[in-house]
PDB file of all heavy atoms in Angstrom:
ATOM      1  N   GLY A  29      79.824  26.627 -24.128  1.00 95.00           N
ATOM      2  CA  GLY A  29      78.485  27.153 -23.925  1.00 95.00           C
ATOM      3  C   GLY A  29      77.461  26.399 -24.768  1.00 95.00           C
ATOM      4  O   GLY A  29      77.533  25.178 -24.910  1.00 95.00           O
ATOM      5  N   GLU A  30      76.511  27.126 -25.358  1.00 94.00           N
ATOM      6  CA  GLU A  30      75.429  26.491 -26.098  1.00 94.00           C
ATOM      7  C   GLU A  30      75.921  25.724 -27.325  1.00 94.00           C
ATOM      8  O   GLU A  30      75.234  24.824 -27.818  1.00 94.00           O
ATOM      9  CB  GLU A  30      74.396  27.538 -26.534  1.00 94.00           C
ATOM     10  CG  GLU A  30      73.620  28.134 -25.374  1.00 94.00           C
ATOM     11  CD  GLU A  30      72.492  29.028 -25.843  1.00 94.00           C
ATOM     12  OE1 GLU A  30      72.097  28.921 -27.027  1.00 94.00           O
ATOM     13  OE2 GLU A  30      71.988  29.825 -25.036  1.00 94.00           O
ATOM     14  N   SER A  31      77.092  26.061 -27.823  1.00 97.00           N
ATOM     15  CA  SER A  31      77.597  25.383 -29.025  1.00 97.00           C
ATOM     16  C   SER A  31      78.346  24.094 -28.697  1.00 97.00           C
ATOM     17  O   SER A  31      78.983  23.503 -29.578  1.00 97.00           O
ATOM     18  CB  SER A  31      78.500  26.325 -29.826  1.00 97.00           C
ATOM     19  OG  SER A  31      79.657  26.669 -29.086  1.00 97.00           O
ATOM     20  N   TRP A  32      78.266  23.629 -27.449  1.00 98.00           N
ATOM     21  CA  TRP A  32      78.994  22.414 -27.090  1.00 98.00           C
ATOM     22  C   TRP A  32      78.489  21.196 -27.861  1.00 98.00           C
ATOM     23  O   TRP A  32      79.229  20.220 -28.029  1.00 98.00           O
ATOM     24  CB  TRP A  32      78.911  22.146 -25.592  1.00 98.00           C
ATOM     25  CG  TRP A  32      77.620  21.546 -25.091  1.00 98.00           C
ATOM     26  CD1 TRP A  32      76.493  22.205 -24.699  1.00 98.00           C
ATOM     27  CD2 TRP A  32      77.341  20.143 -24.905  1.00 98.00           C
ATOM     28  NE1 TRP A  32      75.523  21.312 -24.290  1.00 98.00           N
ATOM     29  CE2 TRP A  32      76.025  20.037 -24.409  1.00 98.00           C
ATOM     30  CE3 TRP A  32      78.065  18.973 -25.121  1.00 98.00           C
ATOM     31  CZ2 TRP A  32      75.419  18.809 -24.114  1.00 98.00           C
ATOM     32  CZ3 TRP A  32      77.463  17.750 -24.834  1.00 98.00           C
ATOM     33  CH2 TRP A  32      76.157  17.674 -24.337  1.00 98.00           C
ATOM     34  N   ILE A  33      77.268  21.241 -28.373  1.00 97.00           N
ATOM     35  CA  ILE A  33      76.708  20.088 -29.077  1.00 97.00           C
ATOM     36  C   ILE A  33      77.065  20.070 -30.561  1.00 97.00           C
ATOM     37  O   ILE A  33      76.693  19.137 -31.280  1.00 97.00           O
ATOM     38  CB  ILE A  33      75.171  20.053 -28.939  1.00 97.00           C
ATOM     39  CG1 ILE A  33      74.566  21.361 -29.466  1.00 97.00           C
ATOM     40  CG2 ILE A  33      74.759  19.795 -27.510  1.00 97.00           C
ATOM     41  CD1 ILE A  33      73.058  21.335 -29.563  1.00 97.00           C
ATOM     42  N   GLN A  34      77.776  21.062 -31.051  1.00 97.00           N
ATOM     43  CA  GLN A  34      78.161  21.081 -32.457  1.00 97.00           C
ATOM     44  C   GLN A  34      79.271  20.052 -32.732  1.00 97.00           C
ATOM     45  O   GLN A  34      80.068  19.733 -31.842  1.00 97.00           O
ATOM     46  CB  GLN A  34      78.634  22.478 -32.851  1.00 97.00           C
ATOM     47  CG  GLN A  34      77.536  23.528 -32.795  1.00 97.00           C
ATOM     48  CD  GLN A  34      76.368  23.191 -33.713  1.00 97.00           C
ATOM     49  OE1 GLN A  34      76.564  22.772 -34.853  1.00 97.00           O
ATOM     50  NE2 GLN A  34      75.153  23.374 -33.209  1.00 97.00           N
ATOM     51  N   PRO A  35      79.316  19.516 -33.949  1.00 97.00           N
ATOM     52  CA  PRO A  35      80.288  18.453 -34.252  1.00 97.00           C
ATOM     53  C   PRO A  35      81.737  18.805 -33.910  1.00 97.00           C
ATOM     54  O   PRO A  35      82.499  17.929 -33.488  1.00 97.00           O
ATOM     55  CB  PRO A  35      80.119  18.253 -35.768  1.00 97.00           C
ATOM     56  CG  PRO A  35      78.697  18.631 -36.029  1.00 97.00           C
ATOM     57  CD  PRO A  35      78.414  19.776 -35.092  1.00 97.00           C
ATOM     58  N   ASP A  36      82.121  20.070 -34.077  1.00 97.00           N
ATOM     59  CA  ASP A  36      83.504  20.460 -33.783  1.00 97.00           C
ATOM     60  C   ASP A  36      83.837  20.388 -32.297  1.00 97.00           C
ATOM     61  O   ASP A  36      85.012  20.303 -31.927  1.00 97.00           O
ATOM     62  CB  ASP A  36      83.774  21.882 -34.274  1.00 97.00           C
ATOM     63  CG  ASP A  36      83.958  21.956 -35.780  1.00 97.00           C
ATOM     64  OD1 ASP A  36      83.961  20.885 -36.423  1.00 97.00           O
ATOM     65  OD2 ASP A  36      84.084  23.072 -36.303  1.00 97.00           O
ATOM     66  N   ASN A  37      82.801  20.441 -31.445  1.00 98.00           N
ATOM     67  CA  ASN A  37      83.039  20.612 -30.006  1.00 98.00           C
ATOM     68  C   ASN A  37      82.618  19.426 -29.143  1.00 98.00           C
ATOM     69  O   ASN A  37      83.211  19.196 -28.088  1.00 98.00           O
ATOM     70  CB  ASN A  37      82.283  21.850 -29.507  1.00 98.00           C
ATOM     71  CG  ASN A  37      82.617  23.096 -30.298  1.00 98.00           C
ATOM     72  OD1 ASN A  37      83.742  23.268 -30.775  1.00 98.00           O
ATOM     73  ND2 ASN A  37      81.641  23.982 -30.451  1.00 98.00           N
ATOM     74  N   ILE A  38      81.614  18.715 -29.565  1.00 98.00           N
ATOM     75  CA  ILE A  38      80.935  17.763 -28.686  1.00 98.00           C
ATOM     76  C   ILE A  38      81.852  16.631 -28.226  1.00 98.00           C
ATOM     77  O   ILE A  38      82.712  16.164 -28.973  1.00 98.00           O
ATOM     78  CB  ILE A  38      79.687  17.194 -29.392  1.00 98.00           C
ATOM     79  CG1 ILE A  38      78.789  16.450 -28.396  1.00 98.00           C
ATOM     80  CG2 ILE A  38      80.078  16.303 -30.563  1.00 98.00           C
ATOM     81  CD1 ILE A  38      77.422  16.114 -28.947  1.00 98.00           C
ATOM     82  N   GLU A  39      81.673  16.235 -26.967  1.00 98.00           N
ATOM     83  CA  GLU A  39      82.270  15.022 -26.431  1.00 98.00           C
ATOM     84  C   GLU A  39      81.151  14.230 -25.757  1.00 98.00           C
ATOM     85  O   GLU A  39      80.255  14.812 -25.138  1.00 98.00           O
ATOM     86  CB  GLU A  39      83.390  15.326 -25.428  1.00 98.00           C
ATOM     87  CG  GLU A  39      84.544  16.148 -25.987  1.00 98.00           C
ATOM     88  CD  GLU A  39      85.330  15.461 -27.109  1.00 98.00           C
ATOM     89  OE1 GLU A  39      85.149  14.241 -27.329  1.00 98.00           O
ATOM     90  OE2 GLU A  39      86.121  16.157 -27.784  1.00 98.00           O
ATOM     91  N   VAL A  40      81.196  12.906 -25.882  1.00 98.00           N
ATOM     92  CA  VAL A  40      80.110  12.055 -25.400  1.00 98.00           C
ATOM     93  C   VAL A  40      80.688  10.870 -24.642  1.00 98.00           C
ATOM     94  O   VAL A  40      81.885  10.599 -24.697  1.00 98.00           O
ATOM     95  CB  VAL A  40      79.237  11.566 -26.577  1.00 98.00           C
ATOM     96  CG1 VAL A  40      78.635  12.747 -27.331  1.00 98.00           C
ATOM     97  CG2 VAL A  40      80.046  10.686 -27.538  1.00 98.00           C
ATOM     98  N   ASN A  41      79.800  10.134 -23.973  1.00 98.00           N
ATOM     99  CA  ASN A  41      80.256   8.924 -23.281  1.00 98.00           C
ATOM    100  C   ASN A  41      79.581   7.672 -23.820  1.00 98.00           C
ATOM    101  O   ASN A  41      79.749   6.589 -23.274  1.00 98.00           O
ATOM    102  CB  ASN A  41      80.003   9.028 -21.773  1.00 98.00           C
ATOM    103  CG  ASN A  41      78.520   8.890 -21.418  1.00 98.00           C
ATOM    104  OD1 ASN A  41      77.652   9.277 -22.200  1.00 98.00           O
ATOM    105  ND2 ASN A  41      78.232   8.364 -20.243  1.00 98.00           N
ATOM    106  N   GLY A  42      78.788   7.829 -24.910  1.00 98.00           N
ATOM    107  CA  GLY A  42      78.042   6.723 -25.461  1.00 98.00           C
ATOM    108  C   GLY A  42      78.683   6.125 -26.698  1.00 98.00           C
ATOM    109  O   GLY A  42      79.824   6.451 -27.059  1.00 98.00           O
ATOM    110  N   PRO A  43      77.966   5.254 -27.386  1.00 98.00           N
ATOM    111  CA  PRO A  43      78.550   4.498 -28.495  1.00 98.00           C
ATOM    112  C   PRO A  43      78.828   5.310 -29.752  1.00 98.00           C
ATOM    113  O   PRO A  43      79.665   4.921 -30.555  1.00 98.00           O
ATOM    114  CB  PRO A  43      77.500   3.422 -28.779  1.00 98.00           C
ATOM    115  CG  PRO A  43      76.234   3.941 -28.205  1.00 98.00           C
ATOM    116  CD  PRO A  43      76.618   4.758 -27.024  1.00 98.00           C
ATOM    117  N   TYR A  44      78.116   6.442 -29.941  1.00 98.00           N
ATOM    118  CA  TYR A  44      78.304   7.233 -31.154  1.00 98.00           C
ATOM    119  C   TYR A  44      78.504   8.704 -30.834  1.00 98.00           C
ATOM    120  O   TYR A  44      77.940   9.222 -29.867  1.00 98.00           O
ATOM    121  CB  TYR A  44      77.109   7.062 -32.102  1.00 98.00           C
ATOM    122  CG  TYR A  44      77.003   5.672 -32.667  1.00 98.00           C
ATOM    123  CD1 TYR A  44      76.135   4.738 -32.107  1.00 98.00           C
ATOM    124  CD2 TYR A  44      77.798   5.277 -33.738  1.00 98.00           C
ATOM    125  CE1 TYR A  44      76.056   3.451 -32.602  1.00 98.00           C
ATOM    126  CE2 TYR A  44      77.727   3.984 -34.243  1.00 98.00           C
ATOM    127  CZ  TYR A  44      76.852   3.078 -33.673  1.00 98.00           C
ATOM    128  OH  TYR A  44      76.793   1.794 -34.170  1.00 98.00           O
ATOM    129  N   LYS A  45      79.301   9.368 -31.654  1.00 98.00           N
ATOM    130  CA  LYS A  45      79.613  10.780 -31.473  1.00 98.00           C
ATOM    131  C   LYS A  45      79.278  11.554 -32.744  1.00 98.00           C
ATOM    132  O   LYS A  45      79.638  11.136 -33.850  1.00 98.00           O
ATOM    133  CB  LYS A  45      81.104  10.942 -31.149  1.00 98.00           C
ATOM    134  CG  LYS A  45      81.576  12.380 -30.998  1.00 98.00           C
ATOM    135  CD  LYS A  45      83.076  12.420 -30.724  1.00 98.00           C
ATOM    136  CE  LYS A  45      83.597  13.848 -30.688  1.00 98.00           C
ATOM    137  NZ  LYS A  45      85.050  13.898 -30.441  1.00 98.00           N
ATOM    138  N   LEU A  46      78.605  12.681 -32.599  1.00 98.00           N
ATOM    139  CA  LEU A  46      78.188  13.483 -33.737  1.00 98.00           C
ATOM    140  C   LEU A  46      79.391  13.942 -34.559  1.00 98.00           C
ATOM    141  O   LEU A  46      80.355  14.493 -34.026  1.00 98.00           O
ATOM    142  CB  LEU A  46      77.408  14.701 -33.249  1.00 98.00           C
ATOM    143  CG  LEU A  46      76.754  15.572 -34.323  1.00 98.00           C
ATOM    144  CD1 LEU A  46      75.624  14.804 -35.020  1.00 98.00           C
ATOM    145  CD2 LEU A  46      76.213  16.864 -33.714  1.00 98.00           C
ATOM    146  N   ALA A  47      79.307  13.718 -35.887  1.00 97.00           N
ATOM    147  CA  ALA A  47      80.385  14.129 -36.781  1.00 97.00           C
ATOM    148  C   ALA A  47      79.923  15.124 -37.829  1.00 97.00           C
ATOM    149  O   ALA A  47      80.736  15.848 -38.399  1.00 97.00           O
ATOM    150  CB  ALA A  47      80.975  12.897 -37.484  1.00 97.00           C
ATOM    151  N   TYR A  48      78.617  15.153 -38.095  1.00 97.00           N
ATOM    152  CA  TYR A  48      78.104  16.002 -39.179  1.00 97.00           C
ATOM    153  C   TYR A  48      76.651  16.347 -38.886  1.00 97.00           C
ATOM    154  O   TYR A  48      75.895  15.519 -38.377  1.00 97.00           O
ATOM    155  CB  TYR A  48      78.204  15.249 -40.507  1.00 97.00           C
ATOM    156  CG  TYR A  48      77.609  15.948 -41.703  1.00 97.00           C
ATOM    157  CD1 TYR A  48      78.281  16.982 -42.337  1.00 97.00           C
ATOM    158  CD2 TYR A  48      76.367  15.548 -42.205  1.00 97.00           C
ATOM    159  CE1 TYR A  48      77.725  17.611 -43.452  1.00 97.00           C
ATOM    160  CE2 TYR A  48      75.814  16.172 -43.314  1.00 97.00           C
ATOM    161  CZ  TYR A  48      76.494  17.204 -43.934  1.00 97.00           C
ATOM    162  OH  TYR A  48      75.951  17.817 -45.023  1.00 97.00           O
ATOM    163  N   TRP A  49      76.267  17.594 -39.185  1.00 97.00           N
ATOM    164  CA  TRP A  49      74.891  18.032 -38.926  1.00 97.00           C
ATOM    165  C   TRP A  49      74.538  19.120 -39.922  1.00 97.00           C
ATOM    166  O   TRP A  49      75.081  20.214 -39.862  1.00 97.00           O
ATOM    167  CB  TRP A  49      74.787  18.541 -37.489  1.00 97.00           C
ATOM    168  CG  TRP A  49      73.408  18.975 -37.059  1.00 97.00           C
ATOM    169  CD1 TRP A  49      72.261  19.007 -37.794  1.00 97.00           C
ATOM    170  CD2 TRP A  49      73.039  19.441 -35.750  1.00 97.00           C
ATOM    171  NE1 TRP A  49      71.208  19.461 -37.048  1.00 97.00           N
ATOM    172  CE2 TRP A  49      71.655  19.735 -35.781  1.00 97.00           C
ATOM    173  CE3 TRP A  49      73.751  19.651 -34.571  1.00 97.00           C
ATOM    174  CZ2 TRP A  49      70.980  20.226 -34.673  1.00 97.00           C
ATOM    175  CZ3 TRP A  49      73.079  20.127 -33.469  1.00 97.00           C
ATOM    176  CH2 TRP A  49      71.707  20.409 -33.511  1.00 97.00           C
ATOM    177  N   ARG A  50      73.657  18.788 -40.844  1.00 93.00           N
ATOM    178  CA  ARG A  50      73.154  19.777 -41.778  1.00 93.00           C
ATOM    179  C   ARG A  50      71.640  19.868 -41.584  1.00 93.00           C
ATOM    180  O   ARG A  50      70.897  18.947 -41.941  1.00 93.00           O
ATOM    181  CB  ARG A  50      73.483  19.416 -43.227  1.00 93.00           C
ATOM    182  CG  ARG A  50      73.061  20.513 -44.224  1.00 93.00           C
ATOM    183  CD  ARG A  50      73.691  20.301 -45.592  1.00 93.00           C
ATOM    184  NE  ARG A  50      73.179  19.093 -46.232  1.00 93.00           N
ATOM    185  CZ  ARG A  50      73.721  18.563 -47.324  1.00 93.00           C
ATOM    186  NH1 ARG A  50      74.815  19.092 -47.853  1.00 93.00           N
ATOM    187  NH2 ARG A  50      73.200  17.480 -47.880  1.00 93.00           N
ATOM    188  N   THR A  51      71.186  20.977 -40.985  1.00 85.00           N
ATOM    189  CA  THR A  51      69.787  21.146 -40.613  1.00 85.00           C
ATOM    190  C   THR A  51      68.872  20.991 -41.823  1.00 85.00           C
ATOM    191  O   THR A  51      69.130  21.533 -42.895  1.00 85.00           O
ATOM    192  CB  THR A  51      69.566  22.522 -39.972  1.00 85.00           C
ATOM    193  OG1 THR A  51      70.410  22.631 -38.820  1.00 85.00           O
ATOM    194  CG2 THR A  51      68.112  22.705 -39.557  1.00 85.00           C
ATOM    195  N   GLY A  52      67.796  20.237 -41.614  1.00 81.00           N
ATOM    196  CA  GLY A  52      66.833  20.016 -42.673  1.00 81.00           C
ATOM    197  C   GLY A  52      67.206  18.883 -43.597  1.00 81.00           C
ATOM    198  O   GLY A  52      66.466  18.569 -44.529  1.00 81.00           O
ATOM    199  N   ASP A  53      68.335  18.248 -43.333  1.00 85.00           N
ATOM    200  CA  ASP A  53      68.791  17.184 -44.223  1.00 85.00           C
ATOM    201  C   ASP A  53      69.143  15.943 -43.422  1.00 85.00           C
ATOM    202  O   ASP A  53      68.366  15.010 -43.331  1.00 85.00           O
ATOM    203  CB  ASP A  53      69.978  17.672 -45.046  1.00 85.00           C
ATOM    204  CG  ASP A  53      70.524  16.624 -45.992  1.00 85.00           C
ATOM    205  OD1 ASP A  53      69.784  15.674 -46.297  1.00 85.00           O
ATOM    206  OD2 ASP A  53      71.687  16.748 -46.422  1.00 85.00           O
ATOM    207  N   GLN A  54      70.321  15.951 -42.799  1.00 94.00           N
ATOM    208  CA  GLN A  54      70.759  14.750 -42.101  1.00 94.00           C
ATOM    209  C   GLN A  54      71.809  15.066 -41.045  1.00 94.00           C
ATOM    210  O   GLN A  54      72.437  16.128 -41.051  1.00 94.00           O
ATOM    211  CB  GLN A  54      71.319  13.735 -43.086  1.00 94.00           C
ATOM    212  CG  GLN A  54      72.544  14.247 -43.845  1.00 94.00           C
ATOM    213  CD  GLN A  54      72.999  13.288 -44.921  1.00 94.00           C
ATOM    214  OE1 GLN A  54      73.754  12.367 -44.643  1.00 94.00           O
ATOM    215  NE2 GLN A  54      72.534  13.499 -46.151  1.00 94.00           N
ATOM    216  N   LEU A  55      71.964  14.105 -40.137  1.00 97.00           N
ATOM    217  CA  LEU A  55      73.034  14.118 -39.145  1.00 97.00           C
ATOM    218  C   LEU A  55      73.776  12.800 -39.280  1.00 97.00           C
ATOM    219  O   LEU A  55      73.188  11.784 -39.689  1.00 97.00           O
ATOM    220  CB  LEU A  55      72.494  14.260 -37.722  1.00 97.00           C
ATOM    221  CG  LEU A  55      71.587  15.453 -37.406  1.00 97.00           C
ATOM    222  CD1 LEU A  55      70.120  15.110 -37.667  1.00 97.00           C
ATOM    223  CD2 LEU A  55      71.759  15.888 -35.948  1.00 97.00           C
ATOM    224  N   VAL A  56      75.046  12.799 -38.925  1.00 97.00           N
ATOM    225  CA  VAL A  56      75.843  11.578 -38.966  1.00 97.00           C
ATOM    226  C   VAL A  56      76.639  11.473 -37.670  1.00 97.00           C
ATOM    227  O   VAL A  56      77.257  12.451 -37.234  1.00 97.00           O
ATOM    228  CB  VAL A  56      76.822  11.566 -40.157  1.00 97.00           C
ATOM    229  CG1 VAL A  56      77.625  10.263 -40.172  1.00 97.00           C
ATOM    230  CG2 VAL A  56      76.079  11.738 -41.472  1.00 97.00           C
ATOM    231  N   SER A  57      76.602  10.303 -37.071  1.00 97.00           N
ATOM    232  CA  SER A  57      77.416  10.036 -35.884  1.00 97.00           C
ATOM    233  C   SER A  57      78.407   8.922 -36.183  1.00 97.00           C
ATOM    234  O   SER A  57      78.088   7.966 -36.908  1.00 97.00           O
ATOM    235  CB  SER A  57      76.535   9.644 -34.693  1.00 97.00           C
ATOM    236  OG  SER A  57      75.789  10.741 -34.243  1.00 97.00           O
ATOM    237  N   GLU A  58      79.598   9.060 -35.613  1.00 97.00           N
ATOM    238  CA  GLU A  58      80.659   8.071 -35.781  1.00 97.00           C
ATOM    239  C   GLU A  58      80.805   7.241 -34.503  1.00 97.00           C
ATOM    240  O   GLU A  58      80.591   7.736 -33.399  1.00 97.00           O
ATOM    241  CB  GLU A  58      81.994   8.795 -36.043  1.00 97.00           C
ATOM    242  CG  GLU A  58      82.057   9.566 -37.342  1.00 97.00           C
ATOM    243  CD  GLU A  58      82.707   8.773 -38.444  1.00 97.00           C
ATOM    244  OE1 GLU A  58      83.296   7.717 -38.142  1.00 97.00           O
ATOM    245  OE2 GLU A  58      82.635   9.207 -39.606  1.00 97.00           O
ATOM    246  N   LYS A  59      81.192   6.012 -34.668  1.00 97.00           N
ATOM    247  CA  LYS A  59      81.438   5.138 -33.526  1.00 97.00           C
ATOM    248  C   LYS A  59      82.496   5.751 -32.611  1.00 97.00           C
ATOM    249  O   LYS A  59      83.526   6.248 -33.074  1.00 97.00           O
ATOM    250  CB  LYS A  59      81.892   3.768 -34.007  1.00 97.00           C
ATOM    251  CG  LYS A  59      82.112   2.746 -32.902  1.00 97.00           C
ATOM    252  CD  LYS A  59      82.464   1.387 -33.516  1.00 97.00           C
ATOM    253  CE  LYS A  59      82.780   0.352 -32.454  1.00 97.00           C
ATOM    254  NZ  LYS A  59      83.124  -0.956 -33.057  1.00 97.00           N
ATOM    255  N   ASN A  60      82.230   5.721 -31.312  1.00 98.00           N
ATOM    256  CA  ASN A  60      83.135   6.266 -30.307  1.00 98.00           C
ATOM    257  C   ASN A  60      84.028   5.139 -29.783  1.00 98.00           C
ATOM    258  O   ASN A  60      83.560   4.266 -29.054  1.00 98.00           O
ATOM    259  CB  ASN A  60      82.317   6.871 -29.162  1.00 98.00           C
ATOM    260  CG  ASN A  60      83.161   7.256 -27.958  1.00 98.00           C
ATOM    261  OD1 ASN A  60      84.369   7.431 -28.059  1.00 98.00           O
ATOM    262  ND2 ASN A  60      82.517   7.383 -26.797  1.00 98.00           N
ATOM    263  N   PRO A  61      85.301   5.141 -30.134  1.00 97.00           N
ATOM    264  CA  PRO A  61      86.174   4.034 -29.731  1.00 97.00           C
ATOM    265  C   PRO A  61      86.415   3.968 -28.225  1.00 97.00           C
ATOM    266  O   PRO A  61      86.865   2.937 -27.719  1.00 97.00           O
ATOM    267  CB  PRO A  61      87.481   4.311 -30.484  1.00 97.00           C
ATOM    268  CG  PRO A  61      87.466   5.788 -30.749  1.00 97.00           C
ATOM    269  CD  PRO A  61      86.025   6.144 -30.947  1.00 97.00           C
TER     270      PRO A  61
END
């Protein structure tokens, strides 16, 4: 559902995938092999 974009759940088809998200601070994406 709406939480599909959270780091624990998300799947992507692009070069980077979300690994960390702390609101008001930073987000980190990892290379998608």
